[in-house]
Amino acid sequence: MQKSDEQHVVGCKASVPGCIPREQSSAELCQTVSAVSSDGDNAHAPEEHQWRYLFAGDLDVPVSVYPHEMQVYSPRVRTAQQALRTVAAPIADPQFIAWQSFGTYEGPRASRPRIFNATSPLVIAPPEPQHVDPAVAMGGTTGFALYAIAPVLDNGWILMGEPNKYVSVAFRRFSRLVTSAATGMQVSVSGAAGERVEVMVTHQTVLDVVTVTCVIASEHNSAQLLCAAPGDCQCR
């Protein structure tokens, strides 16, 4: 996430869009969002699906984050700044998975996803002192972590998106996300002709991450990712 007056503050304040304040803590908890539609129009998605990205930094004590603290934003967003300023009604009982995609708190990138809902918060703890990078410690911080938070779709499928990307599910990369009980999940993957795009997916029944490589076709500059059953995904 870019440092700005709105997104980078010491001890997040409730009045700052995108920030999740914590009393008696210097923790920085800031979020942004991306959306993918079911009809291909990510600018005006009537049935949008939303991914959240939570930055946690300078933790001095463990913190727990709940879904109700991460509001659902309007589908009509094209930039992070628009998303942070446009707030819609929250989902009644949202179901997600969360995983650390970058950072220094929990070891390797793309850590195992965990269930994230009203009864299972995302618990983020500062690293043990011996695990803090000396260069980071000299700056007076405890490091940072970036968590990706993906929705559990209505049939249990979860599109985790591209590994090693700050925004794992970008609207310019993914569109036309549809699900059904009979066919599973299908999503369009866009890119340059011949480009190889790695996509992570999982299912809530197993939470085993599968990485599928999609080769972008020259005809439409896109490929179709199809997942019929847990462990059975292919790109064409």
Side-chain angles (χ1 to χ4, degrees), residues 81-100:
Q81 289 298 320
Q82 288 175 321
L84 291 170
R85 295 193 177 105
T86 309
V87 181
I91 295 173
D93 186 23
Q95 300 292 314
F96 305 96
I97 65 165
W99 70 98
Q100 179 180 294

Side-chain angles (χ1 to χ4, degrees), residues 156-225:
W157 280 104
I158 303 155
L159 175 64
M160 297 175 65
E162 296 182 82
N164 301 322
K165 292 288 184 73
Y166 289 118
V167 177
S168 59
V169 178
F171 74 87
R172 293 189 185 277
R173 178 71 83 186
F174 298 96
S175 62
R176 293 184 172 86
L177 174 60
V178 295
T179 61
S180 75
T183 60
M185 178 182 71
Q186 178 173 337
V187 65
S188 294
V189 184
S190 300
E195 183 180 2
R196 299 173 66 87
V197 181
E198 291 188 335
V199 183
M200 300 185 299
V201 297
T202 189
H203 195 278
Q204 68 173 352
T205 58
V206 291
L207 290 185
D208 290 334
V209 179
V210 175
T211 301
V212 183
T213 299
C214 295
V215 180
I216 305 301
S218 58
E219 184 177 358
H220 301 292
N221 286 335
S222 66
Q224 297 299 313
L225 174 62

Side-chain angles (χ1 to χ4, degrees), residues 13-234:
K13 299 177 175 61
S15 60
V16 177
C19 285
I20 303 174
R22 282 293 179 272
E23 294 182 1
Q24 300 178 343
S25 174
S26 62
E28 296 181 34
L29 298 173
C30 305
Q31 64 169 318
T32 189
V33 64
S34 64
V36 174
S37 74
S38 59
D39 69 350
D41 183 359
N42 286 339
H44 301 86
E47 298 181 13
E48 88 289 351
H49 304 283
Q50 297 182 342
W51 284 253
R52 291 74 180 273
Y53 305 93
L54 176 65
F55 172 88
D58 290 350
L59 266 66
D60 49 1
V61 295
V63 297
S64 297
V65 180
Y66 289 84
H68 73 267
E69 298 179 283
M70 305 184 69
Q71 299 295 309
V72 176
Y73 297 113
S74 164
R76 292 175 174 82
V77 296
R78 299 309 291 265
T79 68
Q81 289 298 320
Q82 288 175 321
L84 291 170
R85 295 193 177 105
T86 309
V87 181
I91 295 173
D93 186 23
Q95 300 292 314
F96 305 96
I97 65 165
W99 70 98
Q100 179 180 294
S101 53
F102 288 89
T104 58
Y105 284 179
E106 295 186 33
R109 296 176 180 177
S111 60
R112 182 172 176 81
R114 69 202 75 174
I115 294 295
F116 176 49
N117 56 31
T119 58
S120 298
L122 176 60
V123 180
I124 309 172
E128 296 295 329
Q130 65 269 27
H131 296 151
V132 176
D133 187 318
V136 172
M138 286 181 63
T141 73
T142 61
F144 76 97
L146 180 67
Y147 291 87
I149 299 170
V152 177
L153 303 176
D154 55 8
N155 61 357
W157 280 104
I158 303 155
L159 175 64
M160 297 175 65
E162 296 182 82
N164 301 322
K165 292 288 184 73
Y166 289 118
V167 177
S168 59
V169 178
F171 74 87
R172 293 189 185 277
R173 178 71 83 186
F174 298 96
S175 62
R176 293 184 172 86
L177 174 60
V178 295
T179 61
S180 75
T183 60
M185 178 182 71
Q186 178 173 337
V187 65
S188 294
V189 184
S190 300
E195 183 180 2
R196 299 173 66 87
V197 181
E198 291 188 335
V199 183
M200 300 185 299
V201 297
T202 189
H203 195 278
Q204 68 173 352
T205 58
V206 291
L207 290 185
D208 290 334
V209 179
V210 175
T211 301
V212 183
T213 299
C214 295
V215 180
I216 305 301
S218 58
E219 184 177 358
H220 301 292
N221 286 335
S222 66
Q224 297 299 313
L225 174 62
L226 306 171
C227 292
D232 180 14
C233 294
Q234 58 183 315

